[in-house]
């Protein structure tokens, strides 16, 4: 069978070494970034804030940036709803393929893209509001 | 004849190794007190001796070399570079020579690398070469080499980096309120490359979160979660939650103000869950407040429980993707 008879998407390469080599290229870039972070930190370490003091509540306590949007949501909704929201969201996310069982189509894919974009934009917006308020 | 020669050579090498090990491992004599000319020439009073010692501090009792390496008190990190170079070249020559020599112990048969012999030895017993070859030569569809398919791999790589740097940090970190903060200061200021290791752990943690979310979005948008890959998506979401759990528990460990109050507020939110809120809060904090128990509990979660779970889930995640293949894009 001639090479050209195989459709483009059916073509394969062996996992080792071909595919692993493409992965290794990415890995080398990451390693360089990691090494750069390490060398930079030899001059200026990450550092620490003031030691923890349970008696002294600082004026602005902020969480890690990836939990900041959850904190921000809490400012707009009641506490119990805000506490349950992440669990419900994760549950919906985990069970999504069991709820959305139809064969995939282009329009479904576009809808998912729009949904993801809106959600990510909302999360980024909330994070930014939380960071600069 | 040749066989005998090889045996003699191997014997000599073993002898050299044993003798050098004996020399290296032999107990060292405690260094004698340094020669102090001032003390020898005159008999000084206590006060004068103190003055001398202020000008020339007495040498530390420890092995100076080891001490400086551990404490990082050699300011210029490249000072011992030439020593590293010479010793590593010698080491490479020695290891390569041993490897070549060990590879040729049976002279009737053609020369074969030691690794090939080891692989054959194992294969005779466990028949592993064929399955491994099959696993390695598994065809990967060409669409899987597109850039957006590398996000999961990057996440995995960052997790491995987290594991390695995390183990290194654990060797110096002390999970008690009295010592946690100081032990991290020790890591950053005293331990050689400690600040680099901590910075890598810190930034790679942030990178892992970003990459997990990117990977999740890619799978979600391209519809790779569709049947029959529901379970792989499910384990993926669990892995995502675990990564956040790593972030949440790891954030408390420096025991600074930011960490303490972020955890206080974070567990407070857990306390807001209807019905089980108080139980969750007490369970997370190990009491009503964030205390030493909370710290050791978060430490145990961060270095024992979560890693164990994440290894199992990752194995499942990878096994399923291997078994079912990478989802074809629409």
């Amino acid at each position: 069978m001639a090479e050209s008879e195989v459709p483009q998407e059916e073509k394969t390469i062996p996992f080792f070494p071909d595919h692993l080599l493409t992965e290794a290229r990415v890995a080398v870039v990451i390693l360089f970034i990691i090494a750069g972070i390490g060398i930079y930190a030899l001059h200026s370490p990450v550092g620490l804030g003031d030691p923890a003091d349970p008696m002294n509540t600082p004026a602005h306590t902020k969480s890690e940036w990836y939990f900041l949007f959850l904190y921000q949501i809490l400012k707009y909704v009641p506490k119990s709803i805000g506490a349950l929201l992440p669990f419900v969201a994760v549950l919906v996310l985990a069970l999504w393929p069991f709820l959305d069982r139809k064969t995939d189509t282009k329009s479904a894919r576009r809808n998912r893209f729009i949904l993801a974009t809106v959600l990510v934009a909302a999360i980024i917006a909330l994070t930014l509001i939380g960071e600069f308020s | 004849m040749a066989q005998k020669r090889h045996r003699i050579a191997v014997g000599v090498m073993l002898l050299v190794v044993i003798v050098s090990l004996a020399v290296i491992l032999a107990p060292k004599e405690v260094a004698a007190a340094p020669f102090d000319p001032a003390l020898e020439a005159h008999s000084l009073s206590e006060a004068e001796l103190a003055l001398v010692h202020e000008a020339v501090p007495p040498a530390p009792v420890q092995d100076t070399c080891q001490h400086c390496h551990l404490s990082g008190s050699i300011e210029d990190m490249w000072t011992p570079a030439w020593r590293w170079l010479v010793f590593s070249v010698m080491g490479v020559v020695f290891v390569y020579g041993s490897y070549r020599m060990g590879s040729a112990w049976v002279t009737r048969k053609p020369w074969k690398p030691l690794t090939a012999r080891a692989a054959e030895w194992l294969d005779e017993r466990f028949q592993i070469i064929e399955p491994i070859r099959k696993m390695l030569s598994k065809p990967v569809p060409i669409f899987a080499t597109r850039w957006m398919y590398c996000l999961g791999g990057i996440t995995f790589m960052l997790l491995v980096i987290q594991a390695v740097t995390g183990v290194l940090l654990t060797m110096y970190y002390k999970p008690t309120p009295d010592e946690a903060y100081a032990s991290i200061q020790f890591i950053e200021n005293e331990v050689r490359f400690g600040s680099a290791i901590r910075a890598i752990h810190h930034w790679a943690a942030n990178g892992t979160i970003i990459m997990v979310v990117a990977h999740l979005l890619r799978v979600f948008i391209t519809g790779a979660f569709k049947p029959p890959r529901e379970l792989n998506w499910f384990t993926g979401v669990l892995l995502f939650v675990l990564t956040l759990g790593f972030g949440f528990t790891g954030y408390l460990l420096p025991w600074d103000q930011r960490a303490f109050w972020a955890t206080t507020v974070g567990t407070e939110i857990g306390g807001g869950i209807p019905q089980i809120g108080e139980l969750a809060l007490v369970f997370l904090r190990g009491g009503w407040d964030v205390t030493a128990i909370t710290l050791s509990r978060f430490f145990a979660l961060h270095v024992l429980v979560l890693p164990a779970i994440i290894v199992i889930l990752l194995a499942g995640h990878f096994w399923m993707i291997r078994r079912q293949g990478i989802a074809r894009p629409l």
Side-chain angles (χ1 to χ4, degrees), chain A residues 13 16 49-50 65 93 112, chain B residues 136 140 181 206 220 233 257:
Chain A
I13 51 172
F16 180 86
D50 297 327
W65 58 267
L93 203 64
R112 280 202 306 274
Chain B
L136 287 180
V140 177
Y181 189 83
N206 290 303
F220 181 73
W233 167 266
Q257 277 289 66

Side-chain angles (χ1 to χ4, degrees), chain A:
Chain A
M1 192 163 72
E3 185 87 355
S4 55
E5 283 176 38
V6 183
Q8 183 63 33
E9 59 266 28
E10 296 295 337
K11 277 185 189 163
T12 61
I13 51 172
F15 173 70
F16 180 86
D18 300 49
H19 184 238
L20 211 61
L21 214 65
T22 60
E23 304 271 286
R25 265 182 253 155
V26 183
V28 165
V29 173
I30 303 278
L31 277 181
F32 266 101
I33 297 171
I34 292 289
I37 290 171
I39 290 167
Y40 176 74
L42 288 177
H43 293 275
S44 41
V46 175
L48 288 157
D50 297 327
D53 182 3
M55 296 295 125
N56 171 22
T57 314
H60 301 286
T61 49
K62 274 182 190 155
S63 72
E64 304 93 306
W65 58 267
Y66 40 86
F67 289 135
L68 214 52
F69 71 99
L70 290 176
Y71 281 62
Q72 203 57 33
I73 288 172
L74 276 175
K75 290 181 186 167
Y76 307 129
V77 298
K79 196 182 168 190
S80 56
I81 294 176
L84 270 181
L85 201 66
F87 292 95
V88 174
V90 164
L91 202 69
V92 169
L93 203 64
L95 298 180
W96 189 281
F98 300 100
L99 306 172
D100 173 19
R101 305 175 58 83
K102 279 186 224 140
T103 326
D104 211 9
T105 58
K106 283 255 191 259
S107 67
R109 190 178 155 158
R110 199 188 56 238
N111 290 341
R112 280 202 306 274
F113 180 74
I114 293 167
L115 177 66
T117 314
V118 168
L119 278 177
V120 170
I123 287 171
I124 290 175
L126 283 169
T127 307
L128 287 178
I129 294 169
E131 190 66 45
F132 296 109
S133 62

